[in-house]
Amino acid sequence: MALIVNGLSKKYEAQLAVDNLSFTIEKGSVVGFLGPNGAGKSTTLKMIAGFLAPDAGEVILNGISNQKDPIAFKKLIGYLPESNPLYEEMYVKEYFLFLADIHKIQQPEKRIEQVILQTGLTQMQHKKIGALSKGFKQRVGIAAAIIHQPALILLDEPTSGLDPNQLTEIRNLIQQLSKEAIVLFSTHILQEVTAICSSVIVLHQSKLVANTSIDQLRKPTEPSVRVVFEEDITPHLSDPFFQKLNYDQVDKRALVIKSTDEQGVKKSVLNFALDKGLNIQSLHTQEASLEEIFKLLTH
């Protein structure tokens, strides 16, 4: 099972919203869809969901094309838009019965019971949707997106505005969903990406600028070693040893040394410290933060 996006493009009058976008996602993946405002994320999700017709390109899910068989294609998709549109005058369970009827779900009561339990809505099922907190409304939106057991789940800003406890619960739910489906979700919260995603897709100015695993993305563009001494290292920086290195002083005890020979640098620093009687608190290859990488990709 795979989602294949091939050459997807969309233009609004003179503005190119999505420019020749292509990527593939396999089953079992939780993929973070990142990019600054206006990069084309929501437009892409709408085109994948079939709510918006692309100007060019094709989306294929489990071998079914959105162009050749749009009805069969849409049956495979669950979509939670950023706005999370809900019928707020309906009761939670009543809403799910309504959706089950639309999807022609066999044994609807059994499936609704499963979804309510899965999304933590047991205590809320007999309440009006409009009376729920934002966190529980998000759960209702996710439940509505998964009630028909779709192959692809699209979530647009699913954790926006949630408190820390709700964030943890929604994270766990998303990870559970990925066992049976592909999950692609857009977010501005980079901590969410590192917490639950196996890979990321990054858009900038309508173009794809990254499509890789979290581990690969976090590899520094310029290899470097971070060393923290237990003493003030400043008096030693005039030593010929440091004159040969390309380093930045972070504070009086910490240095970041840039080198393609990371193991060689670590060995040299250890020998220098031993020779000078200095104590090292930590010595490791430095990883760039996701925030730093995001800025680099989208500036």
Side-chain angles (χ1 to χ4, degrees):
M1 182 164 69
L3 169 69
I4 301 170
V5 173
N6 186 22
L8 213 57
S9 295
K10 183 65 181 180
K11 193 174 185 179
Y12 295 114
E13 297 180 353
Q15 181 182 0
L16 190 60
V18 178
D19 185 8
N20 194 29
L21 182 62
S22 298
F23 58 83
T24 299
I25 305 175
E26 301 291 339
K27 180 185 176 181
S29 300
V30 181
V31 179
F33 200 33
L34 307 178
N37 290 331
K41 302 187 301 300
S42 292
T43 297
T44 299
L45 292 179
K46 288 174 184 176
M47 287 193 288
I48 293 173
F51 290 168
L52 186 64
D55 295 331
E58 185 179 31
V59 182
I60 300 170
L61 179 59
N62 291 0
I64 299 174
S65 166
N66 68 332
Q67 304 280 9
K68 298 174 183 175
D69 197 347
I71 294 177
F73 178 86
K74 288 176 183 177
K75 286 181 179 179
L76 297 176
I77 291 175
Y79 179 40
L80 173 64
E82 183 179 4
S83 59
N84 190 15
L86 298 169
Y87 292 107
E88 298 205 345
E89 291 303 311
M90 296 182 78
Y91 294 89
V92 172
K93 190 170 182 180
E94 177 191 14
Y95 178 52
F96 293 155
L97 284 166
F98 167 67
L99 293 175
D101 184 53
I102 290 174
H103 287 294
K104 304 285 191 283
I105 292 172
Q106 302 297 317
Q107 297 181 300
E109 289 282 354
K110 182 179 178 181
R111 178 57 186 157
I112 289 168
E113 184 180 343
Q114 290 173 343
V115 169
I116 286 174
L117 187 64
Q118 190 176 14
T119 53
L121 288 167
T122 302
Q123 303 298 320
M124 303 294 155
Q125 61 181 305
H126 300 301
K127 291 188 175 184
K128 277 193 174 184
I129 294 173
L132 301 181
S133 67
K134 180 164 184 178
F136 281 113
K137 285 181 180 177
Q138 287 295 91
R139 292 175 192 236
V140 172
I142 293 174
I146 67 172
I147 193 168
H148 57 300
Q149 297 177 289
L152 171 65
I153 302 167
L154 304 172
L155 306 173
D156 197 352
E157 301 285 349
T159 58
S160 176
L162 303 186
D163 67 37
N165 290 332
Q166 293 168 335
L167 280 174
T168 300
E169 291 164 356
I170 295 298
R171 282 179 190 169
N172 293 336
L173 175 57
I174 290 172
Q175 288 178 318
Q176 289 173 19
L177 295 173
S178 70
K179 295 176 182 177
E180 302 296 331
I182 297 166
V183 179
L184 177 63
F185 80 97
S186 161
T187 181
H188 283 100
I189 306 171
L190 297 182
Q191 293 93 329
E192 292 300 291
V193 176
T194 54
I196 63 176
C197 290
S198 53
S199 59
V200 294
I201 292 169
V202 185
L203 298 188
H204 180 48
Q205 294 181 347
S206 77
K207 295 180 181 292
L208 180 72
V209 293
N211 179 13
T212 187
S213 69
I214 294 290
D215 290 340
Q216 283 294 118
L217 188 70
R218 296 186 71 169
K219 283 187 176 180
T221 54
E222 186 175 14
S224 57
V225 172
R226 182 183 179 92
V227 55
V228 179
F229 295 88
E230 292 186 357
E231 303 90 349
D232 184 354
I233 192 62
T234 307
H236 297 276
L237 295 180
S238 58
D239 190 283
F241 172 75
F242 286 109
Q243 300 304 310
K244 295 182 291 183
L245 297 178
N246 178 17
Y247 69 87
D248 293 320
Q249 186 173 9
V250 180
D251 57 38
K252 65 182 182 179
R253 296 189 300 116
L255 303 175
V256 173
I257 303 168
K258 299 170 185 175
S259 173
T260 55
D261 183 14
E262 297 162 54
Q263 295 305 316
V265 166
K266 289 178 183 178
K267 185 176 179 180
S268 297
V269 169
L270 285 170
N271 288 336
F272 175 81
L274 188 62
D275 182 55
K276 300 295 183 182
L278 299 171
N279 298 304
I280 292 178
Q281 187 179 91
S282 64
L283 177 65
H284 61 268
T285 300
Q286 178 164 281
E287 281 190 342
S289 70
L290 200 57
E291 287 81 2
E292 291 170 337
I293 296 165
F294 183 80
K295 289 178 182 177
L296 183 66
L297 291 171
T298 58
H299 274 181

